Amino acid sequence: MDMRKMAVLGASMLVGSLLHIGTASAVTVTISCSATGHDLEQCTQGAQAWAKKTGNEVKIVSMPASGQLALYQQLLSAGSSDIDVLQIDVVWPGILAQDLIDLTKYAGNGTAGDFPVYVKNDTVGGRLVAMPWFADAGVMYYRKDLLDKYHVDVPKTWEELTADAKKIQDAERAAGNSKMWGFVWQGKNYEGLTCNALEWVQSYNGGAIVDASGKVTIDNPAAVNALKMARGWVGTISPEGVLNYQEEEARGVFQSGDAVFMRNWPYAWSLANSADSPIKGKVGITTLPMGGANGRHAAVLGGWQLAVSKYSKNPDAAASLVMYLTSEPEQKRRAIEGGYASTIEALYKDKDVRDAIGPFADSLHDNLVNAVARPSSITKTRYNQVSTEFSGAAYAALSGNTDPAASLKDLDDKLHGLSHGGKW
């Protein structure tokens, strides 16, 4: 039996037993659900199924697309019990850990099937403060038709991608396609640049900004080389405007047929292949390239987790709901009905799930195996400051305002000031 099923049953029996002693009634658990896309519909369906199974009631709170973290921090700092179960971003467990309960006793061995990087990310100070719910990781999109046209293999390294992008870009422009670019990505100074730049640095074995012990490690030759490489793209295979691109700007250029390669998240797959897409059926997807022959594939971890507020008046019932929603059967349902990427590795071998996710199931699986977590669990409440400083340093190097080596040296000094000797 799936260990999460056992955890769900155990927690449900604990809650459900209250219904049989004659002095208690069903409890109501409030869960926050994202209002983005079909997230709200899928979250509601899962929560209602749990309520029917356990005899409890569930209340759905629709969360805005932005400002969720600030809202959570406001509620939690006030000790509010308004929301029992919180849907949280992958970088928030460390930030909110002190206000979340430890789910270890409820999960049992239920995290054994998850990609280890998620469990590690959601464990703060030895406490499992969140459960992985659905996955996300950076991926590389490419134009299959153009690679075939110019007899180019899918690049394995950034060096190969740079050369291939330039070759195809120049050939297409010579053929009259003046708008063609080789590679688009997220270069604006925001969290998306933190993700892109960390992938470059990690792919060259340059570390994760801050290591597992809390030591700042970003000032190293491999990290400098990674930024030098990316700086060389701007104005050559990537437009100058890439320094203002977020996810949608990059997708807009790629989906219009004006780029050979694109770094983005899995959400762009269905859009690139939508009925009205100019590149429908012409898109391939693969793992992000290695940093040279001795490098590694490195995709920054994304996704969402579920956590229980320590101010919940019904923590056992809330934990039961979390275990149900993150269980293998429920993640399978969400993958099939909503196209969500599972955090449970075995589901990537499930035929029904593979049929639902589509051709990028294997690439997404491989990216998650090689995924890199941002150092949020280590830096805790200071993560936002760390990310802001890192993306700012990367942006300064990419824009040519600062030499990459000087930019990372300055960043190192700033992060040492924030870390208090590694004691974040």
Side-chain angles (χ1 to χ4, degrees), residues 63-76:
M63 298 298 288
S66 61
Q68 291 182 38
L69 178 59
L71 179 57
Y72 283 152
Q73 289 175 314
Q74 182 180 357
L75 288 170
L76 294 171

Side-chain angles (χ1 to χ4, degrees), residues 90 114-122 301 368-373:
V90 72
D114 284 300
F115 289 99
V117 67
Y118 275 106
V119 180
K120 183 178 180 180
N121 180 82
D122 294 346
L301 193 69
L368 289 169
V369 169
N370 296 295
V372 176

Side-chain angles (χ1 to χ4, degrees), residues 4 38 92 126 209 265 268 288 295 297 305-306 337 340 355 357:
R4 289 199 195 183
H38 53 200
W92 296 350
I209 309 172
W265 304 94
L288 293 171
H297 297 289
Q305 337 296 303
L306 292 177
E337 296 182 10
Y340 290 90
D355 289 344
I357 293 179

Side-chain angles (χ1 to χ4, degrees), residues 68-379:
Q68 291 182 38
L69 178 59
L71 179 57
Y72 283 152
Q73 289 175 314
Q74 182 180 357
L75 288 170
L76 294 171
S77 65
S80 172
S81 61
D82 288 352
I83 299 179
D84 301 291
V85 176
L86 291 73
Q87 177 181 343
I88 64 175
D89 188 83
V90 72
V91 294
W92 296 350
I95 297 173
L96 302 176
Q98 62 185 3
D99 294 305
L100 306 175
I101 72 169
D102 185 356
L103 295 170
T104 302
K105 70 176 181 180
Y106 300 102
N109 292 325
T111 59
D114 284 300
F115 289 99
V117 67
Y118 275 106
V119 180
K120 183 178 180 180
N121 180 82
D122 294 346
T123 302
V124 181
R127 300 169 61 243
L128 182 66
V129 299
M131 288 290 290
W133 193 21
F134 60 93
D136 214 356
V139 293
M140 184 64 70
Y141 293 87
Y142 62 93
R143 286 282 300 277
K144 292 189 299 183
D145 58 324
L146 292 179
L147 267 64
D148 289 343
K149 179 179 179 180
Y150 295 102
H151 309 291
V152 171
D153 294 329
V154 177
K156 297 290 192 300
T157 66
W158 288 115
E159 290 77 10
E160 290 177 359
L161 181 141
T162 301
D164 294 342
K166 186 70 165 60
K167 174 183 177 179
I168 298 174
Q169 171 188 289
D170 290 351
E172 283 294 295
R173 288 183 178 183
N177 189 354
S178 61
K179 294 182 179 180
M180 179 61 71
W181 287 99
F183 181 36
V184 290
W185 36 281
Q186 295 78 53
K188 186 175 181 177
N189 187 3
Y190 78 119
E191 184 69 20
L193 180 54
T194 291
C195 296
N196 280 247
L198 182 55
E199 288 167 346
W200 307 330
V201 170
Q202 276 276 13
S203 73
Y204 280 93
N205 298 310
I209 309 172
V210 177
D211 70 15
S213 70
K215 180 182 177 182
V216 178
T217 61
I218 190 58
D219 186 15
N220 65 78
V224 172
N225 288 337
L227 287 187
K228 284 182 177 179
M229 170 198 67
R231 180 176 176 175
W233 296 333
V234 180
T236 56
I237 61 171
S238 301
E240 296 281 352
V242 77
L243 297 180
N244 287 314
Y245 282 12
Q246 297 187 45
E247 285 81 0
E248 282 297 273
E249 287 79 12
R251 184 181 68 83
V253 174
F254 184 75
Q255 192 165 321
S256 295
D258 296 329
V260 183
F261 296 98
M262 174 181 70
R263 184 272 178 206
N264 216 314
W265 304 94
Y267 85 96
W269 173 261
S270 60
L271 295 170
N273 287 287
S274 60
D276 60 349
S277 172
I279 58 172
K280 179 183 179 182
K282 301 177 181 180
V283 182
I285 192 168
T286 188
T287 54
L288 293 171
M290 300 186 297
N294 297 318
R296 55 166 292 191
H297 297 289
V300 159
L301 193 69
W304 291 84
Q305 337 296 303
L306 292 177
V308 176
S309 166
K310 77 174 185 180
Y311 308 108
S312 170
K313 294 180 179 177
N314 299 293
D316 291 334
S320 170
L321 175 57
V322 168
M323 296 306 143
Y324 179 87
L325 292 177
T326 60
S327 68
E328 186 170 323
E330 175 62 6
Q331 287 207 33
K332 179 175 179 177
R333 181 193 72 81
R334 287 169 57 86
I336 294 171
E337 296 182 10
Y340 290 90
S342 176
T343 65
I344 299 173
E345 189 167 5
L347 285 178
Y348 288 83
K349 298 179 181 179
D350 184 284
K351 182 180 183 303
D352 296 332
V353 172
R354 290 178 65 85
D355 289 344
I357 293 179
F360 69 91
D362 290 330
S363 293
L364 182 56
H365 170 271
D366 293 344
N367 270 322
L368 289 169
V369 169
N370 296 295
V372 176
R374 285 161 277 179
S376 56
S377 295
I378 301 298
T379 57

Side-chain angles (χ1 to χ4, degrees), residues 5-82:
K5 278 187 180 179
M6 296 177 64
V8 170
L9 289 173
S12 298
M13 289 173 63
L14 175 62
V15 175
S17 65
L18 296 175
L19 304 178
H20 299 288
I21 61 177
T23 59
S25 59
V27 300
T28 298
V29 174
T30 300
I31 179 174
S32 64
C33 296
S34 169
T36 303
H38 53 200
D39 287 353
L40 183 61
E41 176 187 357
Q42 290 296 322
C43 180
T44 300
Q45 288 181 7
Q48 289 178 341
W50 169 83
K52 182 177 181 180
K53 180 182 182 70
T54 63
N56 293 297
E57 298 180 2
V58 67
K59 179 181 178 182
I60 309 296
V61 175
S62 176
M63 298 298 288
S66 61
Q68 291 182 38
L69 178 59
L71 179 57
Y72 283 152
Q73 289 175 314
Q74 182 180 357
L75 288 170
L76 294 171
S77 65
S80 172
S81 61
D82 288 352

